[in-house]
Amino acid sequence: MSNSNNLLTIKDLYASVEEKQILKGLDLEVKPGEVHAIMGPNGAGKSTMGYVLSGREGYTVDSGSVVLGGEDLLDMETEERARAGLFLAFQYPVEIPGVSNLEFLKASVDAQREARGEEAISSADFLKEAKAACKKVDLPISFLKRGVNEGFSGGEKKRNELMQMLLLQPKLCILDETDSGLDIDALQVVAEGVNSQRSSDRSFIVVTHYQRLLDYIKPDFVHVLSNGKIVKSGDASLAQELEAQGYAWLQTEPTEDELEG
Amino acid sequence: MTEQIDKALAREYEAGFVSDVESETFAPGLDESVIQRISKMKGEPEWMLEWRLGAFRDWLQMEEPDWALVDYPKIDFQAISYYSAPKSMKDKPKSLDEVDPELLRTYEKLGIPLIEQQMLAGVAVDAVFDSVSVVTTFREKLEEAGVIFCPISEAIQKYPDLVKKYLGSVVAKKDNYYSALNCAVFTDGSFVYIPKGTRCPMELSTYFRINEQNTGQFERTLIIADEGSHVSYLEGCTAPQRDENQLHAAVVELVAMDDAEIKYSTVQNWYPGDEDGKGGIYNFVTKRGVCHTNAKISWTQVETGSAVTWKYPSCVLKGDNSVGEFYSVALTRGRQQADTGTKMIHLGKNTKSTIIAKGISAGKSNGSYRGLVRMAAGAEGARNFTQCDSLLIGDQCGAHTFPYVESRNPSAIIEHEATTSKVSDEQMFLCQQRGLDPEKAVSMIVNGFCKEVFKELPMEFAVEAGKLLEISLEGSVG
Ligand SMILES: Nc1ncnc2c1ncn2[C@@H]1O[C@H](COP(=O)(O)OP(=O)(O)OP(=O)(O)O)[C@@H](O)[C@H]1O
Ligand SMILES: [Mg+2]
């Protein structure tokens, strides 16, 4: 039985893209305030998990359930999931030329506030908040005027994702390799950004390949996702084990189905 | 995503209503007697009638052009009515109080109140309804500055010398098939004269409305900016939603004398036809300006309407150091077809031109950019920069670019950049993941794409244009 105290409950989730099944019986429970790290080999389905939870088009749920804050997440449109407090920091952030970061952020915040029945924030107040968020992720203020991710360096894009998270104040943040491609200083900036947002009612799923990030962001749990499901869970020390030994010792035996297919 | 976007694009055409106005409309058909009647209705002098008849005889000898990348059934010119005017306009109302309230309501519904107190401050409007100008606002205020802003039919009577000198001076009667037809049968449009050294104290604008069925609208606009003067002019266009196609064949001529500057902006939203391509306006337009020494002409257009658009606002850079600019956003959706672009003819030394053309195609539509840059032998040190960007929404539409370059002067520099991009699934997903609904996402992405052009529009109209795109894209995702 799923715990009704959970913020997120994923049960036996199977999902496909392009007719190919990627998630194969994923289970995960996240309580408010927890930080879960997800590690696992390339191609295991980590990003796919983020897309399926966000309702990205082209990703089909074959079976299983996902409940966020008591609501059936799979029943909602992508934007409704976002408004329900789900945030995904992309592994590969996309550019939107000509649309300024500020304009994009304001529109996002407005849409979410409107959905929650809150009043729209004034442009002046928003600008203040946006400038503060910019500072926090160590991006020059001029980035607010630039097109969304337009010509940003890899690291700047990741910091920009984090800035969006700071402004949207989501309940569940999925960070998909936000640490990849960051220099040491930037890694700290990102970690500080996340840590500053940790609270009893906000949870994080941090997808990473590196134990290093977890030195800064102390996870409550570490999971290994391999071949579409969680094959091992543990506390922070599991990450160290993985760093030392790799994933090979965890690889599950292929099932009969897979051998035949 | 494509399906979503298509759905979102299936929007309502908000200007599609018909006004219940009693009109006097000529029976369909075109021959010399029709032209004589038009000329008589307008109370024109003999020279004007002769001018028209000359053009008509030329037109009879000409062939309808077929080089544009547009496809439509042959137009039956005998099935069109060439004149239609509200009956109430017959006695030429002297003031707004005398104008048929239904006409005023029409413009109010379109968001163009003609009562001066309610109007956008600082914008004078000439409202053209089918074949006549209904009213021109702020005339007295403009007259104080020496600016003439009136219907061209009135200018022919009041300022014959100016009209005789400049009408047909930029676009020759025989320039092309539709311009010749326009010369023969044009009914109304605006006339502007800005005296030497004068900065026009307000924005000028003409709002064209087609109302009557089976009529063609043949508008004629002539703007003369005398030495060192400056004017910013905007035109807007709408028409009711009808199953039949209607023809709109306009000619616009601009004359920028030495050191003068004309900024001409268009927000074109003629009825585009329905999803299956039924109905809509054929928009066949010739627009051209001539720049004398140090003069500048800047065309900005936002084209979202019409079933078929065929339009190339151009600049003849005759004087040394003159500047021509063309900023264009052309959006096609449904079954719309647009073949639009510009011609920059560099004759003078050190002349400069800039072309920024943004095409957005959605649904099953086709958008083409067609542009010519010509550097004449005397265009020493001339420069052109062209940038053509196409944005595709969905995978059933087309975008095409046809840049033509002719250079007879080795010192002239021509640069051309072109890009084609798509509203990608990734972009849509990012926007939606941040909480934006798909309509807002598309319109934001499209607006971003158009930014360089929108910033050229006068403030009030930049907002309008943004909104228009938003409406045009409404339902393009769902
Ligand atoms: N559109 C698609 N078509 C076919 N296969 C896909 C598609 N998208 C993802 N996959 C496949 O699904 C599998 C899981 O991909 P996913 O991106 O979720 O892996 P990941 O765990 O995030 O890997 P990495 O650590 O490299 O980021 C991969 O084998 C990938 O090739
Ligand atoms: Mg990944």
Side-chain angles (χ1 to χ4, degrees), chain B residues 85-126:
Chain B
K87 277 211 171 117
S88 61
M89 292 306 296
K90 203 157 184 187
D91 310 322
K92 299 218 168 81
K94 302 246 160 7
S95 73
L96 268 177
D97 309 336
E98 294 173 30
V99 173
D100 178 355
E102 182 61 27
L103 285 173
L104 296 180
R105 264 198 295 281
T106 300
Y107 285 91
E108 217 173 285
K109 250 167 111 174
L110 294 168
I112 333 261
L114 298 176
I115 315 290
E116 293 188 1
Q117 294 80 355
Q118 297 171 5
M119 291 192 43
L120 283 173
V123 183
V125 179
D126 183 16

Side-chain angles (χ1 to χ4, degrees), chain A residues 63-84:
Chain A
S63 64
S65 67
V66 182
V67 174
L68 178 77
E71 288 185 88
D72 179 0
L73 196 68
L74 301 180
D75 207 30
M76 298 185 222
E77 300 289 341
T78 303
E79 62 273 19
E80 292 167 347
R81 298 179 195 203
R83 294 166 191 167

Side-chain angles (χ1 to χ4, degrees), chain A residues 2 38 48 84 116 119 140 176 219 221 228 250 254:
Chain A
S2 81
I38 297 208
T48 302
R116 289 196 294 264
E119 244 173 81
D176 192 356
F221 298 95
L250 286 170

Side-chain angles (χ1 to χ4, degrees), chain B residues 47 50-56 58-59 62 167-184 220 251 253:
Chain B
W47 61 267
E50 283 312 316
W51 196 83
R52 287 174 179 277
L53 289 172
F56 180 66
D58 288 339
W59 178 73
M62 295 168 83
L167 193 73
S169 71
V170 186
V171 177
K173 276 197 271 187
K174 274 171 42 165
D175 186 80
N176 67 71
Y177 189 76
Y178 301 110
S179 70
L181 177 64
N182 175 286
C183 291
R220 184 96 199 181
V251 173
E253 295 177 283

